[in-house]
Amino acid sequence: SAAIASRCADKQGKFWQMHEKMFAAQQELSPAAYERWAKEIGLDLGRFKASVAAARGEARIAEDQALAGQVGASGTPTMFFNCRQVVGALPIGMMRPVAEDELKKADALLAKGAKRGPGFYAQACDANVAAAPAAPAPAAAVEAGAPAKVDLRADDPVKGNPKAPVTVVVFSDFQCPYCARVEP
């Protein structure tokens, strides 16, 4: 599967390169394409093929699917901006206000003495989860539900500045055409 191939590419430090290939050519997803892309991005092809054959990463994929269910990510794409849920392939103009609001909240946390770095994301998430109403409010145009604690793991593929005040966790599927729209 595409998910296994991407995790196997990650074992060689090339998750994002494989990710980009897969989303750029969603109609071509196949074992032959994964091998071709593995060569193109400079993977050790023997290691990649052995990893795919052994379905390395399958347990982790199952864990990610379980996490998606626990946090209410029942469809793709679902994103969490510091644990604040946004569902669907929305235009950037609709997601920007959520990001800007999260930046303001992050600035307030920093002003109260929080430090940027590994623990900041957890603090921002905790603040969002604690501020959520007891019962979910009616869904706004951009939000589908109350914030949910989405813990990050050390081996999660990460892109961007590790000290950024807003972390966006994305649940997507390589075969989802709507997910491809969100990629840029």
Side-chain angles (χ1 to χ4, degrees), residues 32-88:
Y34 309 147
E35 287 184 23
R36 184 175 75 247
W37 296 330
K39 285 183 208 173
E40 289 174 10
I41 64 175
L43 295 181
D44 175 318
L45 193 57
R47 277 182 52 206
F48 176 77
K49 288 168 76 170
S51 184
V52 169
R56 292 201 180 99
E58 191 171 46
R60 178 57 196 276
I61 293 163
E63 290 171 15
D64 287 346
Q65 289 171 327
L67 174 62
Q70 292 166 6
V71 299
S74 58
T76 57
T78 297
M79 295 154 281
F80 291 86
F81 290 68
N82 285 356
C83 294
R84 184 171 165 192
Q85 187 183 55
V86 176
V87 177

Side-chain angles (χ1 to χ4, degrees), residues 80-162:
F80 291 86
F81 290 68
N82 285 356
C83 294
R84 184 171 165 192
Q85 187 183 55
V86 176
V87 177
L90 304 172
I92 191 72
M94 290 181 75
M95 290 187 280
R96 184 172 283 119
V98 177
E100 289 171 351
D101 188 47
E102 289 307 311
L103 280 170
K104 287 177 190 170
K105 291 179 190 177
D107 287 343
L109 281 173
L110 291 166
K112 291 179 183 175
K115 301 285 184 227
R116 286 187 187 216
F120 186 80
Y121 169 74
Q123 291 177 55
C125 285
D126 289 345
N128 275 337
V129 171
V142 173
E143 294 191 65
K149 185 70 180 204
V150 183
D151 292 322
L152 298 178
R153 292 173 49 164
D155 64 342
D156 284 331
V158 176
K159 201 179 217 185
N161 184 341

